Amino acid sequence: MRSPHIGQGSNSVNVRRYNERLLLKALRRAGSASKADLARLANLTGTAVGSIIASLAEAKLIEFTGRRVEGQRGQPASLIRLDPRGAFGIGVRLDRMGIETVLVNFVGEVLGRRSHDTLLPPPAAVLEMVRQDIDAMQELLSASERQRLAGVGVGQPYNLGSWLREIGLPADAFHAWAEVDFAAELGRAIALPVFSENDCNAATIAELFYGCGRQHDSFVYLFLGPVIGGGIAVDGDCLRGRTGNAGDFAVMPVLPSRLPSAPAPTGAWDILLTRTSLSALIRHLRYRGETVETRVDLEACIARGARAVDEWVDDCVDALAPALRSVLSVLDSSVVVFDADTDAGLIDTLMQRLSDALAAITPEARGLPAFVRGSFGPDAGAIGAATLPMFFNFSPRTGILKGASVQTQEVSYVAF
C-alpha cells in the first residue's frame, strides 16, 4: 500500500485518478471487457486506456481472464476484470435492535459476518463488541490480503435516540448515544481508516457501487426497515446534504394514520415512519392479535395474507405515495429502487401498489418512475457500510477532478 494521497497534486494527477476509477466503474458494470471495450465505455483513447490498465494491473486491482476474438480480424483480445482480492472492506451496521459486521471483497462478495440481535447496548459495550468482530473479520484474510483492507465503514441512524415512541422502544434506552461519535471512537480504537454515513446513505452507495448503479447513475432509494429510510443517487454519487441526512423520508410530514393501532399524534400532522415502517406493520399485527416476535413470524403473516397486513399496506401506500410524488417532482428522477428488511412478497406488493397510486396522482405531462427491486435485502445496511471504504477510494466522483478529499469527514484517500 502506498502512502495516503489527499488529492493536492496537479490537475493532471487528479484527471489520472478520475480516469482510473472510471475504468474500474466500467469493469464493475461490464463484468469483463477488452481494452477496446473500455476505451469505448469510458470515452478514452486507446493509448490512455493502455497506460491505465498497466497501472491497475501493477496495483493488482484487475486481472486478465482469457481472450476473445473481436470481429473477424486481428489477434484475440485479452479480457480484463476486477480482481476480487484487489481490495477488501469491513462494514459495521448499527441499528436500534442489532449490530452486524461483514467483510466484502472488491467485487462485493460477502466473505464473513458476525451479528448480535439485541437492543443496542451502551456505546462502550458496542465498541468492544465491534472491535472483536473486526478482528474476527481480519482473521479470515491472509497477511498479504490484510494489507489491502481499504478500511472500515460504519452505517447507523444519526439520531438513534429519536422517534422511539413511534417505533415502540423504551424512551431511555439510547440516551448515551446522543453524546457519542461512534465512528470517531472506533477510529481511535483500531489501526484502520474509518468511514461513516447514515445507514440508508450507505445502502444507497452499495446500490451505486455493486447493485442497481451498474445500470442507473441516478435514482431515489427507499428502504423499509424498522423505520422507512431513503437515499438519493445523482450522477453516480450519493447526495448527503448539510448533515448527511438528505433523503430522510422518515420525518416527512403526513396526515395521521387511520389505523386503530397507531399512536395518537401530538399535533395535526404526523411523520411518515409512524405509518410507513415495519415497526408500524408489527404494531398493527399485534393489535389484531397476531404473535410477531421474529422476522420468521412477520414473514409468515405476510405470506398467508393476514388481514392486518392488507390494512397496513393500504395505510402505508396512502402516506408514502404523495411523499414520493413530491420527491420525484423535485428531483426529476425516473427510477425508484425499493428494498426491505423482509419480503415474503411484500416488496413486489408495495412496488405495484405505489406504482398504481402514483399513476392516480401524477399530473399531466409528468411520467411515472420505474420501480426496481433493491439488490441486498436485509444485508443492505451492512454491505452498504462495507462499501464505504471501497466507494470513497475507487469511485469516479467529480470532486476528484477538483482535488477534493475523499469525503467531507476528511478521510484520506488510500491508493494501492
Side-chain angles (χ1 to χ4, degrees):
M1 187 182 295
R2 297 200 297 267
S3 300
H5 178 95
I6 58 174
Q8 296 178 348
S10 68
N11 187 58
S12 62
V13 171
N14 296 331
V15 170
R16 171 74 177 210
R17 284 176 61 199
Y18 181 84
N19 287 340
E20 286 176 349
R21 296 176 179 208
L22 201 61
L23 287 192
L24 292 173
K25 177 180 178 178
L27 282 174
R28 279 196 303 275
R29 288 186 162 186
S32 63
S34 67
K35 290 182 182 179
D37 293 332
L38 292 172
R40 182 173 61 255
L41 292 169
N43 195 28
L44 296 172
T45 67
T47 300
V49 167
S51 173
I52 292 171
I53 288 299
S55 176
L56 294 175
E58 182 181 3
K60 298 183 180 180
L61 293 173
I62 61 173
E63 60 184 5
F64 298 90
T65 63
R67 306 178 76 86
R68 75 159 182 247
V69 176
E70 303 245 5
Q72 302 298 316
R73 299 180 181 178
Q75 295 295 317
S78 296
L79 293 178
I80 305 159
R81 69 179 182 187
L82 300 179
D83 187 336
R85 298 160 298 178
F88 301 89
I90 294 174
V92 179
R93 181 197 184 191
L94 301 183
D95 194 61
R96 295 173 180 89
M97 292 299 295
I99 307 163
E100 188 171 13
T101 301
V102 301
L103 171 69
V104 303
N105 65 14
F106 201 33
V107 297
E109 296 168 332
V110 176
L111 305 181
R113 78 171 69 232
R114 296 185 72 171
S115 61
H116 309 272
D117 294 324
T118 177
L119 189 70
L120 197 64
V126 173
L127 183 64
E128 181 58 24
M129 294 163 69
V130 167
R131 190 191 61 76
Q132 292 179 16
D133 290 345
I134 291 171
D135 287 347
M137 295 300 102
Q138 292 187 77
E139 289 297 320
L140 300 175
L141 301 174
S142 68
S144 62
E145 288 171 339
R146 287 177 211 167
Q147 297 300 311
R148 308 188 74 78
L149 263 173
V152 175
V154 176
Q156 67 174 85
Y158 283 165
N159 306 106
L160 281 165
S162 300
W163 312 298
L164 301 179
R165 180 183 70 93
E166 288 82 358
I167 58 180
L169 291 176
D172 60 349
F174 301 97
H175 287 326
W177 285 93
E179 308 298 328
V180 67
D181 182 341
F182 183 80
E185 294 290 337
L186 182 62
R188 287 187 280 271
I190 64 174
L192 288 167
V194 175
F195 303 73
S196 66
E197 275 291 355
N198 174 289
D199 53 344
C200 275
N201 279 351
T204 303
I205 287 170
E207 289 290 355
L208 275 170
F209 203 73
Y210 290 128
C212 298
R214 288 175 293 182
Q215 291 81 40
H216 308 288
D217 281 326
S218 300
F219 52 84
V220 173
Y221 178 79
L222 287 172
F223 188 86
L224 187 70
V227 302
I228 180 75
I232 299 168
V234 179
D235 295 335
D237 206 348
C238 181
L239 184 65
R240 299 190 71 255
R242 180 179 60 85
T243 63
N245 280 312
D248 191 2
F249 277 80
V251 296
M252 293 185 75
V254 297
L255 291 172
S257 172
R258 292 188 292 270
L259 295 178
S261 58
T266 57
W269 290 82
D270 211 330
I271 54 178
L272 188 63
L273 70 86
T274 304
R275 300 176 63 179
T276 302
S277 65
L278 293 182
S279 297
L281 172 56
I282 292 168
R283 181 179 62 229
H284 191 61
L285 283 164
R286 289 171 176 168
Y287 179 87
R288 292 299 190 196
E290 302 283 354
T291 300
V292 183
E293 301 297 337
T294 66
R295 181 180 295 165
V296 173
D297 295 337
L298 176 60
E299 293 190 344
C301 291
I302 296 168
R304 64 179 168 81
R307 173 192 169 198
V309 174
D310 292 337
E311 292 172 338
W312 172 82
V313 167
D314 289 342
D315 194 66
C316 169
V317 171
D318 182 64
L320 182 54
L324 182 55
R325 178 64 256 171
S326 299
V327 171
L328 294 171
S329 296
V330 172
L331 295 177
D332 194 24
S333 180
S334 62
V335 176
V336 175
V337 179
F338 196 100
D339 213 344
D341 256 336
T342 192
D343 192 4
L346 184 64
I347 294 176
D348 287 339
T349 295
L350 286 173
M351 289 197 301
Q352 184 59 57
R353 289 289 304 278
L354 282 169
S355 183
D356 293 343
L358 287 176
I361 63 174
T362 295
E364 181 182 3
R366 294 294 178 266
L368 293 173
F371 279 85
V372 178
R373 285 180 66 101
S375 308
F376 306 108
D379 285 337
I383 292 177
T387 306
L388 295 178
M390 302 289 202
F391 182 77
F392 289 116
N393 281 297
F394 301 111
S395 182
R397 296 171 299 110
T398 55
I400 296 167
L401 296 173
K402 302 175 184 178
S405 60
V406 171
Q407 172 178 34
T408 57
Q409 289 96 328
E410 301 296 331
V411 180
S412 297
Y413 166 64
V414 180
F416 290 89

